[in-house]
Amino acid sequence: MLIVAALGGNALLRRGEPLTAENQRANVKRAAAALAELIKAGHSLVITHGNGPQVGLLALETAGPDGAGLPLDVLGAETEGMIGYMIEQELAGTMKGRRFGTLLTLVKVNANDPAFQKPTKFIGPVYPAEIARKLATERGWKIAPDGERWRRVVASPVPQAIMEADVISLLVREGVTVICTGGGGIPVVDLPDGGLTGIEAVIDKDAASALLAEQLDADMLLLLTDVDAVYADFGKPSAHPLANIDPSAVNEEQFPAGSMRPKIAAAARFSRDGERHAAIGRLEDATAIVAGAKGTAFSVEPR
């Protein structure tokens, strides 16, 4: 089975952990162990991942005294290469003799997407309100509340095409486990002369992963995070895990707007025709989720 496995931010950084190389390597090692079990079970994998904390930190580090720094598309390419390298290194060490490859991935978006007028995608660390407002003034950022603190927000346009999908498909047919579309991919738009150019944005990782799975004609979209399932009434005493969600009937607006809603939207989109499967669950449970024993499956027929 061809599976597009999307690693949530927890694959590189657990909640509350400092963004250090040691922490990232430790968490990538844990992610690689779970992914290796899927490969050992005979599945072909294409791996995607988030990059929010990493790209936000790089944006801070590269900004000069006037607040100007490298554009987000360039920072996205840097973090995609860095994180892909770490995942590839750990997998290669775990599964000697297998072939792995990291591919920088361009993702086309519409330059007139309404998202550019209303940034919503969080990147970088959280700040107290006063510091966030100061940084916004100094660097021309847009900021928004994230819980009790504030973070930078950037445009998150809808992905329209994974430009390297044919190359990824070729590598998969040759038995290569591909790490790609990191952080939602590098956002690019059409030029009048028919070329492409990068644009300041961060594409939602889950939406890009679902589109990639569609273009590859994958059998399954597996969204891996740090919770065991999707919960109804999340945060309330009545909260309970959902073993199955009907993708043709789900209302994504009923779920928290943070990390879970885009995952549910992506899973529902990919599995809505009833021919393809999607699931959401905890990274450590990846093999059991694929087997239908854990996590939340997206299927018209309840499991």
Side-chain angles (χ1 to χ4, degrees):
M1 187 159 62
L2 175 57
I3 301 172
V4 172
L7 300 177
N10 64 297
L12 291 166
L13 198 69
R14 291 175 183 259
R15 297 173 195 266
E17 281 186 338
L19 184 60
T20 65
E22 291 77 13
N23 285 337
Q24 291 181 82
R25 284 194 177 279
N27 288 317
V28 168
K29 189 177 186 70
R30 180 174 57 91
L35 295 171
E37 291 303 313
L38 289 174
I39 298 172
K40 290 174 184 176
H43 302 296
S44 296
L45 286 191
V46 173
I47 302 165
T48 68
H49 57 81
N51 72 341
Q54 290 80 11
V55 78
L57 183 62
L58 269 183
L60 283 171
E61 291 178 346
T62 61
D66 59 355
L70 294 175
L72 282 174
D73 60 306
V74 174
L75 296 177
E78 289 189 11
T79 56
E80 191 175 359
M82 177 192 73
I83 296 168
Y85 156 70
M86 295 174 74
I87 295 172
E88 182 178 344
Q89 186 181 48
E90 288 296 337
L91 280 171
T94 301
M95 303 192 70
K96 300 189 185 306
R98 296 294 298 240
R99 292 184 292 172
F100 302 92
T102 298
L103 183 67
L104 295 184
T105 315
L106 308 184
V107 179
K108 187 187 289 188
V109 301
N110 187 342
N112 296 316
D113 191 303
F116 289 105
Q117 305 304 317
K118 189 178 180 182
T120 59
K121 185 72 173 176
F122 289 118
I123 67 167
V126 295
Y127 301 99
E130 183 178 345
I131 295 176
R133 284 193 290 267
K134 182 175 182 290
L135 288 169
T137 300
E138 292 175 350
R139 304 190 174 186
W141 289 358
K142 300 291 185 183
I143 59 171
D146 183 11
E148 296 181 354
R149 293 197 164 198
W150 291 70
R151 292 177 75 186
R152 182 185 179 187
V153 288
V154 298
S156 182
V158 176
Q160 296 185 323
I162 310 296
M163 304 308 294
E164 284 80 16
D166 288 347
V167 178
I168 296 166
S169 184
L170 174 63
L171 290 169
V172 170
R173 290 197 300 273
E174 291 297 319
V176 178
T177 297
V178 183
I179 301 125
C180 61
T181 324
I186 303 162
V188 295
V189 296
D190 287 317
L191 289 171
D193 64 3
L196 295 168
T197 187
I199 193 166
E200 282 276 287
V202 173
I203 301 168
D204 180 75
K205 164 188 59 65
D206 299 310
S209 298
L211 178 59
L212 174 65
E214 289 175 11
Q215 289 188 235
L216 296 179
D217 195 23
D219 300 294
M220 185 175 193
L221 174 64
L222 182 59
L223 302 171
L224 299 170
T225 182
D226 58 354
V227 294
D228 61 337
V230 176
Y231 278 70
D233 299 334
F234 183 78
K236 300 178 182 178
S238 58
H240 59 279
L242 299 172
N244 190 87
I245 290 177
D246 182 347
S248 64
V250 65
N251 177 9
E252 297 97 1
E253 299 298 319
Q254 295 176 344
F255 295 91
S259 62
M260 194 53 74
R261 187 182 297 175
K263 286 179 171 53
I264 291 169
R269 167 182 168 168
F270 180 73
S271 59
R272 194 158 279 149
D273 64 3
E275 299 297 321
R276 300 176 301 202
H277 303 285
I280 298 173
R282 187 165 48 198
L283 172 64
E284 293 86 349
D285 298 334
T287 303
I289 295 167
V290 171
K294 291 188 177 182
T296 298
F298 285 72
S299 173
V300 174
E301 294 294 328
R303 72 185 187 192

